[in-house]
Amino acid sequence: MSAVENRQLGRLERSALTGVLVREVVNFSSYWRSTTFSSTVEPTIYLLAFGFGFGSIVSRIGGYPYVEFVATGTVATAVLFSSVFPAMFGTFVKYKFQRTYDAILAAPVDTEELVSAEAIWIATRAGVYGCVPMLVAIAFGLDPSWGMLVVPFIGWLAGLGWACFGIMIAGFASSFENFNYIVSAVITPLFLVAGTFFPLSRLPEWAQTLAQLNPLHQCVELVRHAVFGAWEWSDIARAGVLVLFAIVLWRIAIHAMERKLID
């Protein structure tokens, strides 16, 4: 029996994951400049606009200088932008127009491994890009701390969930126009009610309760606590929310892509 015939489908194999990841890294080397620019400049503009714009009116919020409060929150925004959008649009283009996934699946790789490798790669980029606003804030006075070393890992975990979310949306979408509904009705509200630019304690109680279900809010709080060294026991639950978010969306993303790729 050949190696391909002997291979068990539905089981993640390192060789298959590595093959997809290597392809992504090699391909990324040809367009990393534009992707890095778009993934880091927009969150940095938010940081500068809100941090120094409103910062001239509001000096401190939540016990922190406003520019530092926004900087730590913008890390989560950078993770969101650099994971969910590349996952949605990149995945859709690869299977709909370029037929890249058809070629990959012709090798001993199944849909589960393909989706997993794509999500891991996007999350890794998001974890790195998410640190840019923090580095900008350091240049403007944010004190470095040992907790900052944890931020890339928090960004990776959050980025993994959002990457799977984007892949899931691409798997269910029939055209680019479908993304407009997701951006307007899902991503934008979650972005605004994440505690990035203002503390959620100012919101109505029902909004605060719903915000606890927002993975982006959990990422904001974890990053903020890591940077300022204000760890709480509740952070374990916050990390658990991100893990659960990633696992659930990972399985749904696999199901969505199987509908598109497996006849």
Side-chain angles (χ1 to χ4, degrees):
M1 182 177 292
S2 67
V4 174
E5 293 172 335
N6 191 45
R7 188 176 178 283
Q8 297 182 28
L9 294 180
R11 192 182 81 179
L12 296 176
E13 293 189 0
R14 187 174 63 178
S15 58
L17 293 173
T18 302
V20 178
L21 286 170
V22 168
R23 180 201 171 276
E24 290 297 335
V25 172
V26 172
N27 193 38
F28 182 68
S29 64
S30 65
Y31 64 87
W32 69 270
R33 293 179 180 82
S34 60
T35 300
T36 301
F37 180 83
S38 61
S39 298
T40 58
V41 168
E42 188 170 1
T44 302
I45 291 175
Y46 276 117
L47 165 60
L48 298 176
F50 282 89
F52 293 100
F54 285 119
S56 61
I57 303 173
V58 182
S59 59
R60 299 182 70 86
I61 191 167
Y64 308 111
Y66 186 67
V67 65
E68 297 181 6
F69 181 88
V70 172
T72 50
T74 310
V75 169
T77 302
V79 170
L80 174 68
F81 289 166
S82 57
S83 56
V84 70
F85 292 121
M88 283 197 304
F89 291 96
T91 299
F92 191 80
V93 168
K94 286 177 182 177
Y95 83 75
K96 186 75 172 181
F97 301 106
Q98 296 178 343
R99 301 294 182 182
T100 302
Y101 291 161
D102 290 338
I104 293 176
L105 292 176
V109 177
D110 64 18
T111 308
E112 184 174 9
E113 291 162 337
L114 173 60
V115 171
S116 301
E118 289 278 11
I120 290 171
W121 169 241
I122 294 172
T124 301
R125 285 164 41 189
V128 174
Y129 290 153
C131 296
V132 173
M134 185 175 62
L135 298 177
V136 173
I138 290 176
F140 285 96
L142 176 64
D143 293 330
S145 66
W146 288 109
M148 290 180 177
L149 298 176
V150 184
V151 171
F153 300 99
I154 298 173
W156 184 89
L157 180 57
L160 184 66
W162 287 115
C164 291
F165 175 84
I167 294 172
M168 175 196 71
I169 297 302
F172 287 118
S174 57
S175 66
F176 280 121
E177 286 71 24
N178 296 146
F179 296 151
N180 294 331
Y181 298 107
I182 301 301
V183 173
S184 300
V186 179
I187 295 175
T188 299
L190 293 179
F191 164 65
L192 294 176
V193 190
T196 302
F197 305 113
F198 54 86
L200 298 182
S201 58
R202 305 296 179 89
L203 297 178
E205 187 172 345
W206 63 267
Q208 295 182 44
T209 302
L210 289 177
Q212 298 306 316
L213 303 176
N214 181 359
L216 191 61
H217 171 61
Q218 308 304 334
C219 181
V220 168
E221 291 297 296
L222 285 173
V223 169
R224 209 163 264 154
H225 293 170
V227 171
F228 296 124
W231 293 107
E232 302 174 354
W233 285 108
S234 59
D235 290 329
I236 298 176
R238 297 185 192 281
V241 170
L242 294 182
V243 170
L244 181 62
F245 176 66
I247 291 175
V248 171
L249 271 296
W250 173 56
R251 297 312 308 177
I252 298 176
I254 292 171
H255 170 71
M257 292 306 298
E258 283 179 342
R259 294 173 64 252
K260 294 290 186 179
L261 299 173
I262 306 299
D263 295 329

